[in-house]
Amino acid sequence: MRPQEEHPTATSAPPPRWAVRSAQLITLLALPTGLWRLAMVCGFPSGYTEAGFVPFDTLGSKLWMLTLSVACELLALLSLGLVRPWGETVPRWIPVIGGRPVRPLAAVVPAAAGALALTALWAAMPLWWTYPHPDMTPAGHLLVGVIYQPLVLWGPLLGAVTVSYYRRTRGSRTAHTNTP
């Protein structure tokens, strides 16, 4: 085990309350759609007509929906790293790099790219309701619209939390550059 002195911890200021709340909100934004997809994995049509649900009732579709649900929630949970100590110092239980400081740009660059991608991906979601969906029931159309609309906020919230993280950690770059 390496001595503590070799791996100084980050010395940034604590995150602002709005950033913490935003990161927490991000994790909740992805949850309804994941639960909706998991219901479909379990065989519940989740607002689709009987004929509309047929493409989703295959093993491949179920594996895809399960994978997508878990991946989305894990990615949403990563936003917490921008406001928690493990976003500045790698947890000790992680082999080889545990206890080392996180280089700010190693967190900022993927988070910023994710924020841009999510903003572009979900920007058209408010228009979803304007298109007819004959494979869905009217209640299903409403349900899906309601649970997917909040995802429009994911990218901008992640962008704001990323800017906050960058501002807090940019002064600690010198501690990160001298780490072996």
Side-chain angles (χ1 to χ4, degrees), residues 30-44 46 53 62-70 73 148:
L31 193 57
T33 55
L35 293 174
W36 175 76
R37 285 188 295 270
L38 291 177
M40 291 189 0
V41 168
C42 292
F44 186 73
S46 299
F53 184 66
K62 289 179 179 195
L63 286 174
W64 168 247
M65 290 185 292
L66 180 62
T67 302
L68 183 61
S69 296
V70 171
E73 196 58 39
Y148 270 86

mmCIF file with all atom_site columns, all heavy atoms in Angstrom, residues 30-44 46 53 62-70 73 148:
data_model
loop_
_atom_site.group_PDB
_atom_site.id
_atom_site.type_symbol
_atom_site.label_atom_id
_atom_site.label_alt_id
_atom_site.label_comp_id
_atom_site.label_asym_id
_atom_site.label_entity_id
_atom_site.label_seq_id
_atom_site.pdbx_PDB_ins_code
_atom_site.Cartn_x
_atom_site.Cartn_y
_atom_site.Cartn_z
_atom_site.occupancy
_atom_site.B_iso_or_equiv
_atom_site.pdbx_formal_charge
_atom_site.auth_seq_id
_atom_site.auth_comp_id
_atom_site.auth_asym_id
_atom_site.auth_atom_id
_atom_site.pdbx_PDB_model_num
ATOM 1   N N   . ALA A 1 30  ? -33.990 9.758   -15.171 1.00 0.00 ? 30  ALA A N   1
ATOM 2   C CA  . ALA A 1 30  ? -33.885 8.545   -15.983 1.00 0.00 ? 30  ALA A CA  1
ATOM 3   C C   . ALA A 1 30  ? -34.698 7.380   -15.425 1.00 0.00 ? 30  ALA A C   1
ATOM 4   O O   . ALA A 1 30  ? -34.954 6.410   -16.137 1.00 0.00 ? 30  ALA A O   1
ATOM 5   C CB  . ALA A 1 30  ? -32.414 8.137   -16.116 1.00 0.00 ? 30  ALA A CB  1
ATOM 6   N N   . LEU A 1 31  ? -35.098 7.477   -14.190 1.00 0.00 ? 31  LEU A N   1
ATOM 7   C CA  . LEU A 1 31  ? -35.770 6.359   -13.520 1.00 0.00 ? 31  LEU A CA  1
ATOM 8   C C   . LEU A 1 31  ? -37.130 5.977   -14.120 1.00 0.00 ? 31  LEU A C   1
ATOM 9   O O   . LEU A 1 31  ? -37.369 4.787   -14.373 1.00 0.00 ? 31  LEU A O   1
ATOM 10  C CB  . LEU A 1 31  ? -35.885 6.657   -12.033 1.00 0.00 ? 31  LEU A CB  1
ATOM 11  C CG  . LEU A 1 31  ? -36.284 5.506   -11.130 1.00 0.00 ? 31  LEU A CG  1
ATOM 12  C CD1 . LEU A 1 31  ? -35.317 4.338   -11.266 1.00 0.00 ? 31  LEU A CD1 1
ATOM 13  C CD2 . LEU A 1 31  ? -36.343 5.984   -9.687  1.00 0.00 ? 31  LEU A CD2 1
ATOM 14  N N   . PRO A 1 32  ? -38.050 6.912   -14.392 1.00 0.00 ? 32  PRO A N   1
ATOM 15  C CA  . PRO A 1 32  ? -39.357 6.494   -14.925 1.00 0.00 ? 32  PRO A CA  1
ATOM 16  C C   . PRO A 1 32  ? -39.274 5.741   -16.253 1.00 0.00 ? 32  PRO A C   1
ATOM 17  O O   . PRO A 1 32  ? -39.968 4.738   -16.446 1.00 0.00 ? 32  PRO A O   1
ATOM 18  C CB  . PRO A 1 32  ? -40.126 7.807   -15.087 1.00 0.00 ? 32  PRO A CB  1
ATOM 19  C CG  . PRO A 1 32  ? -39.475 8.749   -14.137 1.00 0.00 ? 32  PRO A CG  1
ATOM 20  C CD  . PRO A 1 32  ? -38.025 8.342   -14.103 1.00 0.00 ? 32  PRO A CD  1
ATOM 21  N N   . THR A 1 33  ? -38.423 6.198   -17.153 1.00 0.00 ? 33  THR A N   1
ATOM 22  C CA  . THR A 1 33  ? -38.324 5.506   -18.441 1.00 0.00 ? 33  THR A CA  1
ATOM 23  C C   . THR A 1 33  ? -37.708 4.124   -18.271 1.00 0.00 ? 33  THR A C   1
ATOM 24  O O   . THR A 1 33  ? -38.095 3.178   -18.950 1.00 0.00 ? 33  THR A O   1
ATOM 25  C CB  . THR A 1 33  ? -37.505 6.338   -19.449 1.00 0.00 ? 33  THR A CB  1
ATOM 26  O OG1 . THR A 1 33  ? -36.229 6.644   -18.880 1.00 0.00 ? 33  THR A OG1 1
ATOM 27  C CG2 . THR A 1 33  ? -38.226 7.616   -19.819 1.00 0.00 ? 33  THR A CG2 1
ATOM 28  N N   . GLY A 1 34  ? -36.746 4.003   -17.352 1.00 0.00 ? 34  GLY A N   1
ATOM 29  C CA  . GLY A 1 34  ? -36.161 2.692   -17.090 1.00 0.00 ? 34  GLY A CA  1
ATOM 30  C C   . GLY A 1 34  ? -37.175 1.729   -16.510 1.00 0.00 ? 34  GLY A C   1
ATOM 31  O O   . GLY A 1 34  ? -37.247 0.562   -16.914 1.00 0.00 ? 34  GLY A O   1
ATOM 32  N N   . LEU A 1 35  ? -37.980 2.205   -15.583 1.00 0.00 ? 35  LEU A N   1
ATOM 33  C CA  . LEU A 1 35  ? -39.017 1.350   -15.001 1.00 0.00 ? 35  LEU A CA  1
ATOM 34  C C   . LEU A 1 35  ? -40.068 0.967   -16.045 1.00 0.00 ? 35  LEU A C   1
ATOM 35  O O   . LEU A 1 35  ? -40.561 -0.162  -16.053 1.00 0.00 ? 35  LEU A O   1
ATOM 36  C CB  . LEU A 1 35  ? -39.673 2.056   -13.805 1.00 0.00 ? 35  LEU A CB  1
ATOM 37  C CG  . LEU A 1 35  ? -38.763 2.279   -12.592 1.00 0.00 ? 35  LEU A CG  1
ATOM 38  C CD1 . LEU A 1 35  ? -39.471 3.118   -11.539 1.00 0.00 ? 35  LEU A CD1 1
ATOM 39  C CD2 . LEU A 1 35  ? -38.275 0.957   -12.037 1.00 0.00 ? 35  LEU A CD2 1
ATOM 40  N N   . TRP A 1 36  ? -40.390 1.898   -16.925 1.00 0.00 ? 36  TRP A N   1
ATOM 41  C CA  . TRP A 1 36  ? -41.341 1.624   -18.007 1.00 0.00 ? 36  TRP A CA  1
ATOM 42  C C   . TRP A 1 36  ? -40.806 0.517   -18.919 1.00 0.00 ? 36  TRP A C   1
ATOM 43  O O   . TRP A 1 36  ? -41.523 -0.421  -19.263 1.00 0.00 ? 36  TRP A O   1
ATOM 44  C CB  . TRP A 1 36  ? -41.606 2.919   -18.790 1.00 0.00 ? 36  TRP A CB  1
ATOM 45  C CG  . TRP A 1 36  ? -42.473 2.764   -19.984 1.00 0.00 ? 36  TRP A CG  1
ATOM 46  C CD1 . TRP A 1 36  ? -43.833 2.614   -20.011 1.00 0.00 ? 36  TRP A CD1 1
ATOM 47  C CD2 . TRP A 1 36  ? -42.049 2.760   -21.346 1.00 0.00 ? 36  TRP A CD2 1
ATOM 48  N NE1 . TRP A 1 36  ? -44.280 2.520   -21.303 1.00 0.00 ? 36  TRP A NE1 1
ATOM 49  C CE2 . TRP A 1 36  ? -43.195 2.611   -22.141 1.00 0.00 ? 36  TRP A CE2 1
ATOM 50  C CE3 . TRP A 1 36  ? -40.803 2.884   -21.971 1.00 0.00 ? 36  TRP A CE3 1
ATOM 51  C CZ2 . TRP A 1 36  ? -43.143 2.567   -23.528 1.00 0.00 ? 36  TRP A CZ2 1
ATOM 52  C CZ3 . TRP A 1 36  ? -40.762 2.849   -23.343 1.00 0.00 ? 36  TRP A CZ3 1
ATOM 53  C CH2 . TRP A 1 36  ? -41.917 2.686   -24.113 1.00 0.00 ? 36  TRP A CH2 1
ATOM 54  N N   . ARG A 1 37  ? -39.526 0.620   -19.288 1.00 0.00 ? 37  ARG A N   1
ATOM 55  C CA  . ARG A 1 37  ? -38.932 -0.422  -20.136 1.00 0.00 ? 37  ARG A CA  1
ATOM 56  C C   . ARG A 1 37  ? -38.855 -1.757  -19.402 1.00 0.00 ? 37  ARG A C   1
ATOM 57  O O   . ARG A 1 37  ? -39.079 -2.815  -19.994 1.00 0.00 ? 37  ARG A O   1
ATOM 58  C CB  . ARG A 1 37  ? -37.545 0.010   -20.630 1.00 0.00 ? 37  ARG A CB  1
ATOM 59  C CG  . ARG A 1 37  ? -37.591 1.049   -21.731 1.00 0.00 ? 37  ARG A CG  1
ATOM 60  C CD  . ARG A 1 37  ? -36.221 1.301   -22.335 1.00 0.00 ? 37  ARG A CD  1
ATOM 61  N NE  . ARG A 1 37  ? -35.277 1.878   -21.395 1.00 0.00 ? 37  ARG A NE  1
ATOM 62  C CZ  . ARG A 1 37  ? -35.095 3.169   -21.203 1.00 0.00 ? 37  ARG A CZ  1
ATOM 63  N NH1 . ARG A 1 37  ? -35.799 4.045   -21.891 1.00 0.00 ? 37  ARG A NH1 1
ATOM 64  N NH2 . ARG A 1 37  ? -34.205 3.599   -20.343 1.00 0.00 ? 37  ARG A NH2 1
ATOM 65  N N   . LEU A 1 38  ? -38.546 -1.720  -18.101 1.00 0.00 ? 38  LEU A N   1
ATOM 66  C CA  . LEU A 1 38  ? -38.490 -2.969  -17.331 1.00 0.00 ? 38  LEU A CA  1
ATOM 67  C C   . LEU A 1 38  ? -39.867 -3.632  -17.262 1.00 0.00 ? 38  LEU A C   1
ATOM 68  O O   . LEU A 1 38  ? -39.958 -4.868  -17.278 1.00 0.00 ? 38  LEU A O   1
ATOM 69  C CB  . LEU A 1 38  ? -37.944 -2.713  -15.929 1.00 0.00 ? 38  LEU A CB  1
ATOM 70  C CG  . LEU A 1 38  ? -36.463 -2.335  -15.858 1.00 0.00 ? 38  LEU A CG  1
ATOM 71  C CD1 . LEU A 1 38  ? -36.055 -2.022  -14.424 1.00 0.00 ? 38  LEU A CD1 1
ATOM 72  C CD2 . LEU A 1 38  ? -35.580 -3.410  -16.451 1.00 0.00 ? 38  LEU A CD2 1
ATOM 73  N N   . ALA A 1 39  ? -40.925 -2.837  -17.199 1.00 0.00 ? 39  ALA A N   1
ATOM 74  C CA  . ALA A 1 39  ? -42.275 -3.411  -17.238 1.00 0.00 ? 39  ALA A CA  1
ATOM 75  C C   . ALA A 1 39  ? -42.497 -4.132  -18.564 1.00 0.00 ? 39  ALA A C   1
ATOM 76  O O   . ALA A 1 39  ? -43.092 -5.219  -18.608 1.00 0.00 ? 39  ALA A O   1
ATOM 77  C CB  . ALA A 1 39  ? -43.324 -2.318  -17.036 1.00 0.00 ? 39  ALA A CB  1
ATOM 78  N N   . MET A 1 40  ? -41.986 -3.564  -19.652 1.00 0.00 ? 40  MET A N   1
ATOM 79  C CA  . MET A 1 40  ? -42.114 -4.218  -20.959 1.00 0.00 ? 40  MET A CA  1
ATOM 80  C C   . MET A 1 40  ? -41.288 -5.501  -21.006 1.00 0.00 ? 40  MET A C   1
ATOM 81  O O   . MET A 1 40  ? -41.722 -6.495  -21.587 1.00 0.00 ? 40  MET A O   1
ATOM 82  C CB  . MET A 1 40  ? -41.723 -3.260  -22.085 1.00 0.00 ? 40  MET A CB  1
ATOM 83  C CG  . MET A 1 40  ? -42.731 -2.145  -22.216 1.00 0.00 ? 40  MET A CG  1
ATOM 84  S SD  . MET A 1 40  ? -42.635 -1.029  -23.622 1.00 0.00 ? 40  MET A SD  1
ATOM 85  C CE  . MET A 1 40  ? -41.315 -1.480  -24.601 1.00 0.00 ? 40  MET A CE  1
ATOM 86  N N   . VAL A 1 41  ? -40.126 -5.501  -20.379 1.00 0.00 ? 41  VAL A N   1
ATOM 87  C CA  . VAL A 1 41  ? -39.297 -6.711  -20.302 1.00 0.00 ? 41  VAL A CA  1
ATOM 88  C C   . VAL A 1 41  ? -40.071 -7.825  -19.594 1.00 0.00 ? 41  VAL A C   1
ATOM 89  O O   . VAL A 1 41  ? -39.979 -8.995  -19.971 1.00 0.00 ? 41  VAL A O   1
ATOM 90  C CB  . VAL A 1 41  ? -37.958 -6.422  -19.586 1.00 0.00 ? 41  VAL A CB  1
ATOM 91  C CG1 . VAL A 1 41  ? -37.220 -7.704  -19.245 1.00 0.00 ? 41  VAL A CG1 1
ATOM 92  C CG2 . VAL A 1 41  ? -37.074 -5.512  -20.432 1.00 0.00 ? 41  VAL A CG2 1
ATOM 93  N N   . CYS A 1 42  ? -40.863 -7.445  -18.598 1.00 0.00 ? 42  CYS A N   1
ATOM 94  C CA  . CYS A 1 42  ? -41.658 -8.432  -17.841 1.00 0.00 ? 42  CYS A CA  1
ATOM 95  C C   . CYS A 1 42  ? -42.937 -8.843  -18.573 1.00 0.00 ? 42  CYS A C   1
ATOM 96  O O   . CYS A 1 42  ? -43.716 -9.634  -18.040 1.00 0.00 ? 42  CYS A O   1
ATOM 97  C CB  . CYS A 1 42  ? -42.001 -7.861  -16.471 1.00 0.00 ? 42  CYS A CB  1
ATOM 98  S SG  . CYS A 1 42  ? -40.552 -7.684  -15.420 1.00 0.00 ? 42  CYS A SG  1
ATOM 99  N N   . GLY A 1 43  ? -43.159 -8.312  -19.780 1.00 0.00 ? 43  GLY A N   1
ATOM 100 C CA  . GLY A 1 43  ? -44.315 -8.725  -20.574 1.00 0.00 ? 43  GLY A CA  1
ATOM 101 C C   . GLY A 1 43  ? -45.514 -7.808  -20.491 1.00 0.00 ? 43  GLY A C   1
ATOM 102 O O   . GLY A 1 43  ? -46.546 -8.079  -21.111 1.00 0.00 ? 43  GLY A O   1
ATOM 103 N N   . PHE A 1 44  ? -45.421 -6.723  -19.735 1.00 0.00 ? 44  PHE A N   1
ATOM 104 C CA  . PHE A 1 44  ? -46.525 -5.771  -19.651 1.00 0.00 ? 44  PHE A CA  1
ATOM 105 C C   . PHE A 1 44  ? -46.441 -4.832  -20.852 1.00 0.00 ? 44  PHE A C   1
ATOM 106 O O   . PHE A 1 44  ? -45.397 -4.249  -21.098 1.00 0.00 ? 44  PHE A O   1
ATOM 107 C CB  . PHE A 1 44  ? -46.429 -4.995  -18.335 1.00 0.00 ? 44  PHE A CB  1
ATOM 108 C CG  . PHE A 1 44  ? -47.587 -4.088  -18.088 1.00 0.00 ? 44  PHE A CG  1
ATOM 109 C CD1 . PHE A 1 44  ? -48.831 -4.614  -17.739 1.00 0.00 ? 44  PHE A CD1 1
ATOM 110 C CD2 . PHE A 1 44  ? -47.454 -2.720  -18.194 1.00 0.00 ? 44  PHE A CD2 1
ATOM 111 C CE1 . PHE A 1 44  ? -49.910 -3.772  -17.507 1.00 0.00 ? 44  PHE A CE1 1
ATOM 112 C CE2 . PHE A 1 44  ? -48.513 -1.876  -17.968 1.00 0.00 ? 44  PHE A CE2 1
ATOM 113 C CZ  . PHE A 1 44  ? -49.751 -2.410  -17.620 1.00 0.00 ? 44  PHE A CZ  1
ATOM 114 N N   . SER A 1 46  ? -47.317 -1.841  -21.444 1.00 0.00 ? 46  SER A N   1
ATOM 115 C CA  . SER A 1 46  ? -46.925 -0.466  -21.086 1.00 0.00 ? 46  SER A CA  1
ATOM 116 C C   . SER A 1 46  ? -47.463 0.603   -22.028 1.00 0.00 ? 46  SER A C   1
ATOM 117 O O   . SER A 1 46  ? -46.756 1.543   -22.382 1.00 0.00 ? 46  SER A O   1
ATOM 118 C CB  . SER A 1 46  ? -45.404 -0.363  -20.982 1.00 0.00 ? 46  SER A CB  1
ATOM 119 O OG  . SER A 1 46  ? -44.916 -1.217  -19.988 1.00 0.00 ? 46  SER A OG  1
ATOM 120 N N   . PHE A 1 53  ? -47.172 -4.111  -29.455 1.00 0.00 ? 53  PHE A N   1
ATOM 121 C CA  . PHE A 1 53  ? -46.236 -4.675  -28.480 1.00 0.00 ? 53  PHE A CA  1
ATOM 122 C C   . PHE A 1 53  ? -45.448 -5.860  -29.035 1.00 0.00 ? 53  PHE A C   1
ATOM 123 O O   . PHE A 1 53  ? -44.382 -6.189  -28.512 1.00 0.00 ? 53  PHE A O   1
ATOM 124 C CB  . PHE A 1 53  ? -46.992 -5.098  -27.204 1.00 0.00 ? 53  PHE A CB  1
ATOM 125 C CG  . PHE A 1 53  ? -46.104 -5.594  -26.108 1.00 0.00 ? 53  PHE A CG  1
ATOM 126 C CD1 . PHE A 1 53  ? -45.214 -4.747  -25.472 1.00 0.00 ? 53  PHE A CD1 1
ATOM 127 C CD2 . PHE A 1 53  ? -46.134 -6.916  -25.712 1.00 0.00 ? 53  PHE A CD2 1
ATOM 128 C CE1 . PHE A 1 53  ? -44.385 -5.190  -24.461 1.00 0.00 ? 53  PHE A CE1 1
ATOM 129 C CE2 . PHE A 1 53  ? -45.313 -7.387  -24.700 1.00 0.00 ? 53  PHE A CE2 1
ATOM 130 C CZ  . PHE A 1 53  ? -44.438 -6.511  -24.068 1.00 0.00 ? 53  PHE A CZ  1
ATOM 131 N N   . LYS A 1 62  ? -36.053 -7.630  -25.398 1.00 0.00 ? 62  LYS A N   1
ATOM 132 C CA  . LYS A 1 62  ? -36.040 -7.592  -23.939 1.00 0.00 ? 62  LYS A CA  1
ATOM 133 C C   . LYS A 1 62  ? -34.632 -7.379  -23.401 1.00 0.00 ? 62  LYS A C   1
ATOM 134 O O   . LYS A 1 62  ? -34.422 -6.600  -22.461 1.00 0.00 ? 62  LYS A O   1
ATOM 135 C CB  . LYS A 1 62  ? -36.659 -8.868  -23.371 1.00 0.00 ? 62  LYS A CB  1
ATOM 136 C CG  . LYS A 1 62  ? -38.158 -8.920  -23.581 1.00 0.00 ? 62  LYS A CG  1
ATOM 137 C CD  . LYS A 1 62  ? -38.738 -10.187 -23.035 1.00 0.00 ? 62  LYS A CD  1
ATOM 138 C CE  . LYS A 1 62  ? -40.252 -10.185 -23.256 1.00 0.00 ? 62  LYS A CE  1
ATOM 139 N NZ  . LYS A 1 62  ? -40.943 -11.176 -22.470 1.00 0.00 ? 62  LYS A NZ  1
ATOM 140 N N   . LEU A 1 63  ? -33.648 -8.034  -23.998 1.00 0.00 ? 63  LEU A N   1
ATOM 141 C CA  . LEU A 1 63  ? -32.255 -7.828  -23.576 1.00 0.00 ? 63  LEU A CA  1
ATOM 142 C C   . LEU A 1 63  ? -31.821 -6.389  -23.840 1.00 0.00 ? 63  LEU A C   1
ATOM 143 O O   . LEU A 1 63  ? -31.121 -5.787  -23.017 1.00 0.00 ? 63  LEU A O   1
ATOM 144 C CB  . LEU A 1 63  ? -31.323 -8.809  -24.277 1.00 0.00 ? 63  LEU A CB  1
ATOM 145 C CG  . LEU A 1 63  ? -31.388 -10.247 -23.782 1.00 0.00 ? 63  LEU A CG  1
ATOM 146 C CD1 . LEU A 1 63  ? -30.530 -11.156 -24.663 1.00 0.00 ? 63  LEU A CD1 1
ATOM 147 C CD2 . LEU A 1 63  ? -30.943 -10.336 -22.333 1.00 0.00 ? 63  LEU A CD2 1
ATOM 148 N N   . TRP A 1 64  ? -32.216 -5.853  -24.983 1.00 0.00 ? 64  TRP A N   1
ATOM 149 C CA  . TRP A 1 64  ? -31.869 -4.470  -25.324 1.00 0.00 ? 64  TRP A CA  1
ATOM 150 C C   . TRP A 1 64  ? -32.506 -3.503  -24.326 1.00 0.00 ? 64  TRP A C   1
ATOM 151 O O   . TRP A 1 64  ? -31.846 -2.595  -23.817 1.00 0.00 ? 64  TRP A O   1
ATOM 152 C CB  . TRP A 1 64  ? -32.289 -4.129  -26.743 1.00 0.00 ? 64  TRP A CB  1
ATOM 153 C CG  . TRP A 1 64  ? -32.205 -2.661  -27.018 1.00 0.00 ? 64  TRP A CG  1
ATOM 154 C CD1 . TRP A 1 64  ? -33.229 -1.805  -27.263 1.00 0.00 ? 64  TRP A CD1 1
ATOM 155 C CD2 . TRP A 1 64  ? -31.025 -1.860  -27.040 1.00 0.00 ? 64  TRP A CD2 1
ATOM 156 N NE1 . TRP A 1 64  ? -32.771 -0.532  -27.437 1.00 0.00 ? 64  TRP A NE1 1
ATOM 157 C CE2 . TRP A 1 64  ? -31.410 -0.530  -27.296 1.00 0.00 ? 64  TRP A CE2 1
ATOM 158 C CE3 . TRP A 1 64  ? -29.669 -2.137  -26.845 1.00 0.00 ? 64  TRP A CE3 1
ATOM 159 C CZ2 . TRP A 1 64  ? -30.504 0.518   -27.382 1.00 0.00 ? 64  TRP A CZ2 1
ATOM 160 C CZ3 . TRP A 1 64  ? -28.769 -1.074  -26.928 1.00 0.00 ? 64  TRP A CZ3 1
ATOM 161 C CH2 . TRP A 1 64  ? -29.187 0.226   -27.201 1.00 0.00 ? 64  TRP A CH2 1
ATOM 162 N N   . MET A 1 65  ? -33.793 -3.681  -24.016 1.00 0.00 ? 65  MET A N   1
ATOM 163 C CA  . MET A 1 65  ? -34.477 -2.775  -23.086 1.00 0.00 ? 65  MET A CA  1
ATOM 164 C C   . MET A 1 65  ? -33.883 -2.866  -21.688 1.00 0.00 ? 65  MET A C   1
ATOM 165 O O   . MET A 1 65  ? -33.735 -1.851  -21.001 1.00 0.00 ? 65  MET A O   1
ATOM 166 C CB  . MET A 1 65  ? -35.981 -3.057  -23.066 1.00 0.00 ? 65  MET A CB  1
ATOM 167 C CG  . MET A 1 65  ? -36.684 -2.645  -24.347 1.00 0.00 ? 65  MET A CG  1
ATOM 168 S SD  . MET A 1 65  ? -38.472 -2.833  -24.280 1.00 0.00 ? 65  MET A SD  1
ATOM 169 C CE  . MET A 1 65  ? -38.659 -4.604  -24.226 1.00 0.00 ? 65  MET A CE  1
ATOM 170 N N   . LEU A 1 66  ? -33.527 -4.072  -21.261 1.00 0.00 ? 66  LEU A N   1
ATOM 171 C CA  . LEU A 1 66  ? -32.903 -4.253  -19.956 1.00 0.00 ? 66  LEU A CA  1
ATOM 172 C C   . LEU A 1 66  ? -31.539 -3.566  -19.915 1.00 0.00 ? 66  LEU A C   1
ATOM 173 O O   . LEU A 1 66  ? -31.224 -2.820  -18.984 1.00 0.00 ? 66  LEU A O   1
ATOM 174 C CB  . LEU A 1 66  ? -32.758 -5.744  -19.642 1.00 0.00 ? 66  LEU A CB  1
ATOM 175 C CG  . LEU A 1 66  ? -32.112 -6.105  -18.312 1.00 0.00 ? 66  LEU A CG  1
ATOM 176 C CD1 . LEU A 1 66  ? -32.931 -5.581  -17.145 1.00 0.00 ? 66  LEU A CD1 1
ATOM 177 C CD2 . LEU A 1 66  ? -31.925 -7.609  -18.215 1.00 0.00 ? 66  LEU A CD2 1
ATOM 178 N N   . THR A 1 67  ? -30.743 -3.790  -20.945 1.00 0.00 ? 67  THR A N   1
ATOM 179 C CA  . THR A 1 67  ? -29.415 -3.172  -21.038 1.00 0.00 ? 67  THR A CA  1
ATOM 180 C C   . THR A 1 67  ? -29.526 -1.649  -21.079 1.00 0.00 ? 67  THR A C   1
ATOM 181 O O   . THR A 1 67  ? -28.789 -0.942  -20.375 1.00 0.00 ? 67  THR A O   1
ATOM 182 C CB  . THR A 1 67  ? -28.673 -3.690  -22.286 1.00 0.00 ? 67  THR A CB  1
ATOM 183 O OG1 . THR A 1 67  ? -28.568 -5.102  -22.197 1.00 0.00 ? 67  THR A OG1 1
ATOM 184 C CG2 . THR A 1 67  ? -27.302 -3.070  -22.420 1.00 0.00 ? 67  THR A CG2 1
ATOM 185 N N   . LEU A 1 68  ? -30.445 -1.142  -21.876 1.00 0.00 ? 68  LEU A N   1
ATOM 186 C CA  . LEU A 1 68  ? -30.630 0.307   -21.996 1.00 0.00 ? 68  LEU A CA  1
ATOM 187 C C   . LEU A 1 68  ? -31.069 0.915   -20.670 1.00 0.00 ? 68  LEU A C   1
ATOM 188 O O   . LEU A 1 68  ? -30.561 1.966   -20.260 1.00 0.00 ? 68  LEU A O   1
ATOM 189 C CB  . LEU A 1 68  ? -31.653 0.610   -23.095 1.00 0.00 ? 68  LEU A CB  1
ATOM 190 C CG  . LEU A 1 68  ? -31.912 2.073   -23.403 1.00 0.00 ? 68  LEU A CG  1
ATOM 191 C CD1 . LEU A 1 68  ? -30.634 2.758   -23.870 1.00 0.00 ? 68  LEU A CD1 1
ATOM 192 C CD2 . LEU A 1 68  ? -33.005 2.189   -24.467 1.00 0.00 ? 68  LEU A CD2 1
ATOM 193 N N   . SER A 1 69  ? -31.970 0.250   -19.976 1.00 0.00 ? 69  SER A N   1
ATOM 194 C CA  . SER A 1 69  ? -32.452 0.771   -18.689 1.00 0.00 ? 69  SER A CA  1
ATOM 195 C C   . SER A 1 69  ? -31.327 0.841   -17.668 1.00 0.00 ? 69  SER A C   1
ATOM 196 O O   . SER A 1 69  ? -31.153 1.857   -16.982 1.00 0.00 ? 69  SER A O   1
ATOM 197 C CB  . SER A 1 69  ? -33.583 -0.112  -18.154 1.00 0.00 ? 69  SER A CB  1
ATOM 198 O OG  . SER A 1 69  ? -34.690 -0.052  -19.013 1.00 0.00 ? 69  SER A OG  1
ATOM 199 N N   . VAL A 1 70  ? -30.557 -0.225  -17.556 1.00 0.00 ? 70  VAL A N   1
ATOM 200 C CA  . VAL A 1 70  ? -29.456 -0.258  -16.586 1.00 0.00 ? 70  VAL A CA  1
ATOM 201 C C   . VAL A 1 70  ? -28.371 0.750   -16.979 1.00 0.00 ? 70  VAL A C   1
ATOM 202 O O   . VAL A 1 70  ? -27.873 1.502   -16.136 1.00 0.00 ? 70  VAL A O   1
ATOM 203 C CB  . VAL A 1 70  ? -28.881 -1.689  -16.460 1.00 0.00 ? 70  VAL A CB  1
ATOM 204 C CG1 . VAL A 1 70  ? -27.610 -1.707  -15.629 1.00 0.00 ? 70  VAL A CG1 1
ATOM 205 C CG2 . VAL A 1 70  ? -29.931 -2.626  -15.866 1.00 0.00 ? 70  VAL A CG2 1
ATOM 206 N N   . GLU A 1 73  ? -29.444 4.410   -16.246 1.00 0.00 ? 73  GLU A N   1
ATOM 207 C CA  . GLU A 1 73  ? -29.432 4.754   -14.824 1.00 0.00 ? 73  GLU A CA  1
ATOM 208 C C   . GLU A 1 73  ? -28.002 4.832   -14.296 1.00 0.00 ? 73  GLU A C   1
ATOM 209 O O   . GLU A 1 73  ? -27.687 5.713   -13.495 1.00 0.00 ? 73  GLU A O   1
ATOM 210 C CB  . GLU A 1 73  ? -30.255 3.760   -14.007 1.00 0.00 ? 73  GLU A CB  1
ATOM 211 C CG  . GLU A 1 73  ? -30.593 4.256   -12.635 1.00 0.00 ? 73  GLU A CG  1
ATOM 212 C CD  . GLU A 1 73  ? -31.364 5.567   -12.602 1.00 0.00 ? 73  GLU A CD  1
ATOM 213 O OE1 . GLU A 1 73  ? -32.248 5.799   -13.443 1.00 0.00 ? 73  GLU A OE1 1
ATOM 214 O OE2 . GLU A 1 73  ? -31.070 6.396   -11.707 1.00 0.00 ? 73  GLU A OE2 1
ATOM 215 N N   . TYR A 1 148 ? -41.146 10.574  -20.662 1.00 0.00 ? 148 TYR A N   1
ATOM 216 C CA  . TYR A 1 148 ? -39.958 10.906  -21.454 1.00 0.00 ? 148 TYR A CA  1
ATOM 217 C C   . TYR A 1 148 ? -39.668 12.406  -21.492 1.00 0.00 ? 148 TYR A C   1
ATOM 218 O O   . TYR A 1 148 ? -38.515 12.806  -21.701 1.00 0.00 ? 148 TYR A O   1
ATOM 219 C CB  . TYR A 1 148 ? -40.084 10.361  -22.881 1.00 0.00 ? 148 TYR A CB  1
ATOM 220 C CG  . TYR A 1 148 ? -39.527 8.972   -23.035 1.00 0.00 ? 148 TYR A CG  1
ATOM 221 C CD1 . TYR A 1 148 ? -40.306 7.850   -22.756 1.00 0.00 ? 148 TYR A CD1 1
ATOM 222 C CD2 . TYR A 1 148 ? -38.216 8.767   -23.438 1.00 0.00 ? 148 TYR A CD2 1
ATOM 223 C CE1 . TYR A 1 148 ? -39.798 6.564   -22.883 1.00 0.00 ? 148 TYR A CE1 1
ATOM 224 C CE2 . TYR A 1 148 ? -37.694 7.495   -23.571 1.00 0.00 ? 148 TYR A CE2 1
ATOM 225 C CZ  . TYR A 1 148 ? -38.489 6.400   -23.287 1.00 0.00 ? 148 TYR A CZ  1
ATOM 226 O OH  . TYR A 1 148 ? -37.970 5.133   -23.414 1.00 0.00 ? 148 TYR A OH  1
#
